[in-house]
Amino acid sequence: MTKFSIEKSKPYYDQVYYKIREMIIFMELKPGERVYEAKLARFFHTSRSPVREAVKALCKEGLLVIDDKSRIFVYNPTFDDIIQIYQCRTALESLAAKLTAHIATDSQISKIGEVIRQTEQLLTDEEENREQLIRLNTAFHQLIIKYSNNNLLNKQLESINSLSFFFRVLNFKGDHRGRELFMEHQQIYQYIKQRNGELAARAMMKHIENDLVHFCEMNSETYQTVFKEAKDREKRT
Amino acid sequence: MTKFSIEKSKPYYDQVYYKIREMIIFMELKPGERVYEAKLARFFHTSRSPVREAVKALCKEGLLVIDDKSRIFVYNPTFDDIIQIYQCRTALESLAAKLTAHIATDSQISKIGEVIRQTEQLLTDEEENREQLIRLNTAFHQLIIKYSNNNLLNKQLESINSLSFFFRVLNFKGDHRGRELFMEHQQIYQYIKQRNGELAARAMMKHIENDLVHFCEMNSETYQTVFKEAKDREKRT
DNA sequence: GATGATTTGTGCGTATGTATG
DNA sequence: GCATACATACGCACAAATCAT
């Protein structure tokens, strides 16, 4: 007899938390938009209690912001905020690379290699598949974080990464950035495979710094338009 | 006429949050101890609602832990956890040192220098003043974090640092550690003053790594006894 | 297991505060 | 300034889960 377990439904506040989080990440709730506990409660067909808890949790994470008058808004990163997020990622992910190089199992490392191979494959194809490229890019970073085997590091980066979702898509803008990213990833992977933690960390740091530079370069044109709408919304409130 | 403003009392959930946090840090609630919403509510003379929110926030921070049956416990770090905390601090605080070296104002840097001078003073005194030494040690790190001018970094380190409180006091155990710490701090300070971010970061990383090594060395004797009580409590539940 | 005591999860009413006209 | 509308803060009641006997 195959084992099967009844799904015990999670507490509402948990479900609501994840759902709101998703709505923010997928822009169903837009940056800068004001949200209301009561409306969310009606939307989820629950009372305000679970929504309240979810909202507070998302505030601690930074995805929602409560102002001095207890009004709730979706986080709307300024350009400076984005730079700060990148800086923290640099620090934490280079640590992740170092740890992974030191302690990941061979089979874990080969899983990272698999992502590299798939990316290479994708890049040789003529037609550009940006969706997939973003997915693999994310996977590469996620695996390294996971295999670092440091729970606290994982937690910290998880919350930072949800903040990054707002603009991660921007990374691939620009002509050769896809290939550059790949080369950098490959280099990091090589160092990890060689178990050289120092170089892996250094390379990861450079890699994310490059992303930041690239982001800043694109910024003067791109940031303005992508976030213009949000800024407008903000002004109106 | 002197300006004076009516104190608007903060929301209960906020006050309760800080009070519970304090109780954990000062060990009035002991690591591994189970706590109850209802009891806390009675203790604070509030309903469970504010307590609930405070508890959820502290969970996100890691000071409280909720198990699969919704039972609430005070965080009780394993030896591994402590290593993980140190690793994250290494990454984040070395970033802080780098940023501070780059962007702190001269007057901010001189404030760090003031802490260094006070520490030196204290160390020349014959009688040991551990309390004060810990305070200055903390101040040194806090100032560098603050002057890094990165809010996210500040937030992340704030939550990590409350996790550190459990064992920070152990750092000064051992014969010459106080002096060693001071020398390392002074070196970091010099690099910051010279505006050399790279070296400041490197030195900060080494410094915290040394703390970790020192902690591990003391461990086989100290950790056992300090945390024995907690472990026992854990076993009993 | 069954039962009662305790604890957490959820809904809702009311008080209080804020924005708007 | 006042009245209205609507938001959040908090307490309380009861249901559901858990624990002890």
Side-chain angles (χ1 to χ4, degrees):
Chain A
M1 172 174 155
T2 56
K3 188 171 129 194
F4 95 114
S5 59
I6 306 288
E7 268 293 323
K8 189 168 75 180
S9 84
K10 292 205 160 168
Y12 286 7
Y13 62 77
D14 235 50
Q15 300 183 48
V16 169
Y17 165 81
Y18 283 110
K19 184 56 188 169
I20 296 179
R21 193 167 187 273
E22 204 179 281
M23 289 169 74
I24 295 172
I25 288 170
F26 292 124
M27 299 277 208
E28 287 166 57
L29 295 173
K30 301 207 169 36
E33 180 176 347
R34 179 165 177 193
V35 296
Y36 302 90
E37 268 181 25
K39 277 185 190 160
L40 287 170
R42 282 197 294 274
F43 179 73
F44 291 120
H45 301 292
T46 74
S47 76
R48 288 180 346 251
S49 312
V51 174
R52 224 181 131 67
E53 295 185 15
V55 165
K56 285 277 152 43
L58 288 161
C59 286
K60 261 216 115 65
E61 206 166 319
L63 283 174
L64 291 177
V65 181
I66 297 193
D67 72 6
D68 53 334
K69 293 186 181 80
S70 298
R71 290 176 305 193
I72 306 158
F73 298 86
V74 177
Y75 177 55
N76 187 18
T78 64
F79 185 53
D80 256 17
D81 288 343
I82 293 179
I83 291 177
Q84 294 187 1
I85 291 167
Y86 266 109
Q87 288 175 335
C88 286
R89 275 190 62 209
T90 307
L92 292 171
E93 290 204 32
S94 66
L95 170 60
K98 176 154 81 178
L99 294 175
T100 293
H102 287 150
I103 64 173
T105 65
D106 289 344
S107 98
Q108 286 174 333
I109 290 180
S110 74
K111 283 204 186 113
I112 299 173
E114 186 50 39
V115 172
I116 294 284
R117 264 186 298 286
Q118 286 179 34
T119 311
E120 187 163 28
Q121 182 58 48
L122 208 65
L123 283 170
T124 58
D125 294 357
E126 273 315 301
E127 47 137 2
E128 177 172 314
N129 190 339
R130 184 169 296 186
E131 284 283 310
Q132 185 68 356
L133 218 50
I134 292 176
R135 212 184 53 71
L136 288 169
N137 178 48
T138 306
F140 177 78
H141 286 273
Q142 289 305 328
L143 285 180
I144 291 175
I145 293 165
K146 185 168 155 203
Y147 297 150
S148 74
N149 210 25
N150 178 320
N151 282 324
L152 181 58
L153 184 56
N154 268 270
K155 255 179 65 178
Q156 302 248 343
L157 275 167
E158 188 184 336
S159 107
I160 284 188
N161 278 334
S162 42
L163 296 181
S164 313
F165 266 105
F166 283 115
F167 51 86
R168 174 155 303 180
V169 65
L170 297 178
N171 283 348
F172 289 91
K173 283 268 167 70
D175 286 341
H176 309 96
R177 191 57 189 144
R179 266 222 98 68
E180 282 169 26
L181 277 175
F182 170 68
M183 307 269 277
E184 291 170 7
H185 281 194
Q186 198 170 42
Q187 179 66 84
I188 294 165
Y189 168 64
Q190 289 304 330
Y191 288 138
I192 288 175
K193 207 167 153 190
Q194 293 161 24
R195 303 292 188 178
N196 192 328
E198 285 308 319
L199 288 181
R202 204 78 54 86
M204 179 64 88
M205 182 169 288
K206 264 272 152 263
H207 169 54
I208 302 180
E209 275 171 5
N210 285 344
D211 254 17
L212 175 54
V213 169
H214 181 257
F215 175 78
C216 290
E217 276 169 6
M218 311 285 341
N219 166 258
S220 38
E221 317 127 44
T222 313
Y223 186 83
Q224 308 290 2
T225 60
V226 169
F227 288 86
K228 187 172 183 316
E229 206 186 326
K231 297 279 171 221
D232 288 349
R233 255 197 309 285
E234 202 166 65
K235 240 172 271 165
R236 261 181 269 123
T237 55
Chain B
M1 173 173 152
T2 56
K3 191 173 126 192
F4 96 113
S5 58
I6 306 289
E7 267 296 321
K8 191 167 72 181
S9 82
K10 289 205 160 171
Y12 286 8
Y13 63 81
D14 235 50
Q15 299 182 49
V16 169
Y17 165 80
Y18 283 110
K19 184 57 188 170
I20 296 179
R21 194 166 187 274
E22 203 178 282
M23 288 168 75
I24 295 172
I25 287 170
F26 293 124
M27 299 278 209
E28 287 167 57
L29 296 172
K30 301 209 170 33
E33 179 176 349
R34 181 167 177 191
V35 295
Y36 302 90
E37 265 180 29
K39 277 186 191 159
L40 287 171
R42 281 198 295 274
F43 178 73
F44 291 120
H45 302 290
T46 74
S47 77
R48 279 170 42 220
S49 311
V51 174
R52 262 184 92 73
E53 294 185 18
V55 165
K56 287 273 153 43
L58 288 161
C59 286
K60 266 217 112 63
E61 207 166 315
L63 284 174
L64 290 176
V65 181
I66 296 192
D67 72 6
D68 53 334
K69 293 189 179 74
S70 297
R71 291 176 304 193
I72 306 158
F73 298 87
V74 177
Y75 177 55
N76 188 18
T78 64
F79 185 52
D80 257 18
D81 288 344
I82 293 177
I83 291 177
Q84 294 187 2
I85 292 166
Y86 266 109
Q87 288 174 335
C88 287
R89 275 190 62 209
T90 306
L92 292 172
E93 289 204 31
S94 64
L95 170 60
K98 176 154 81 178
L99 294 176
T100 293
H102 287 149
I103 66 174
T105 64
D106 289 343
S107 97
Q108 286 173 333
I109 291 181
S110 75
K111 283 204 186 113
I112 299 173
E114 186 50 38
V115 172
I116 294 283
R117 262 185 299 284
Q118 286 178 32
T119 311
E120 187 164 28
Q121 181 57 49
L122 208 65
L123 282 170
T124 56
D125 295 355
E126 273 313 303
E127 46 135 5
E128 177 170 313
N129 190 339
R130 183 167 298 184
E131 284 284 311
Q132 185 67 355
L133 218 52
I134 292 177
R135 212 183 54 70
L136 287 170
N137 179 48
T138 305
F140 177 77
H141 286 273
Q142 290 304 329
L143 286 181
I144 291 175
I145 294 165
K146 185 169 157 203
Y147 297 150
S148 74
N149 210 25
N150 178 321
N151 283 325
L152 181 58
L153 183 57
N154 268 271
K155 256 179 66 177
Q156 302 249 350
L157 276 167
E158 188 184 337
S159 111
I160 284 189
N161 278 333
S162 41
L163 296 181
S164 312
F165 266 106
F166 282 113
F167 51 88
R168 173 155 304 179
V169 65
L170 297 178
N171 282 348
F172 289 91
K173 283 269 167 68
D175 285 342
H176 309 96
R177 192 55 189 148
R179 265 223 100 68
E180 281 170 28
L181 278 175
F182 169 68
M183 307 268 278
E184 291 170 7
H185 281 194
Q186 198 169 43
Q187 179 67 84
I188 294 166
Y189 168 64
Q190 289 304 329
Y191 287 139
I192 288 175
K193 207 167 153 190
Q194 293 160 26
R195 303 291 187 179
N196 192 327
E198 284 310 318
L199 289 180
R202 203 77 55 85
M204 179 64 89
M205 181 170 289
K206 266 270 150 264
H207 169 54
I208 301 180
E209 275 171 5
N210 285 345
D211 254 17
L212 176 54
V213 169
H214 183 256
F215 175 79
C216 290
E217 276 169 6
M218 310 287 337
N219 166 256
S220 37
E221 317 127 45
T222 314
Y223 186 82
Q224 308 289 3
T225 58
V226 170
F227 287 86
K228 188 173 183 318
E229 206 187 328
K231 296 282 170 220
D232 290 349
R233 255 197 310 284
E234 203 166 63
K235 240 174 270 168
R236 263 181 269 124
T237 56

